[in-house]
Amino acid sequence: MTVLLRLLAGINTTVYKLCAFALSSGLAGLAGTLYAYYVQLVSPTVASAATTSLAIGMAVFGGLGTIWGPALGALLFYGVNEALRFVGVVYNLIAVGLVIMVFVIFVPRGLAGLRPRSDRRTPRRDGVTWDTREKP
């Protein structure tokens, strides 16, 4: 459902968005804390442009909006990044930027968007359908 349909159904989407933001921020903070404890170093050089572009590239490459898309994108993108490590950091950043541009322009849904979507949905218990197509 779109946000408009949810609002018309009486579901307050702002509360869910705020909860998702707070939960993801808390998990990111916890991950940063564990990483700093593991590395035993807190420095601005840890989050360089290469690391940030790699994280954004993984999400864009996999596709936003699904769970398995960014996970698969992270695995594949990290493999490509490691394979290009021998050419140097500058060319590696150029390759990451090119992949991000190609995927944003030509494949906006990432790898997750390449999979055909099925129209099968779990039926409701009360038998009500949300089919918006007109019947002949």
Side-chain angles (χ1 to χ4, degrees):
M1 277 199 281
T2 64
V3 176
L4 179 62
L5 287 176
R6 288 187 177 129
L7 287 174
L8 291 174
I11 300 170
N12 190 359
T13 58
T14 305
V15 171
Y16 290 108
K17 289 178 184 179
L18 287 174
C19 287
F21 178 75
L23 182 66
S24 63
S25 299
L27 290 176
L30 178 66
T33 304
L34 293 174
Y35 181 74
Y37 178 76
Y38 177 73
V39 176
Q40 296 182 352
L41 172 71
V42 178
S43 171
T45 59
V46 172
S48 65
T51 307
T52 306
S53 66
L54 184 64
I56 292 171
M58 287 176 181
V60 170
F61 187 67
L64 305 173
T66 63
I67 298 296
W68 66 270
L72 179 65
L75 289 173
L76 292 174
F77 204 71
Y78 189 73
V80 168
N81 187 35
E82 288 298 317
L84 291 175
R85 183 177 289 271
F86 69 92
V87 296
V89 176
V90 175
Y91 295 115
N92 198 352
L93 283 175
I94 291 172
V96 168
L98 285 175
V99 167
I100 291 173
M101 285 192 317
V102 166
F103 268 77
V104 165
I105 293 171
F106 296 112
V107 191
R109 291 190 177 178
L111 293 177
L114 296 177
R115 190 186 93 183
R117 295 185 62 169
S118 66
D119 287 337
R120 292 179 285 146
R121 295 190 177 160
T122 307
R124 290 176 45 158
R125 285 187 227 163
D126 57 4
V128 176
T129 61
W130 291 91
D131 193 8
T132 57
R133 294 175 294 201
E134 293 183 19
K135 306 259 193 252

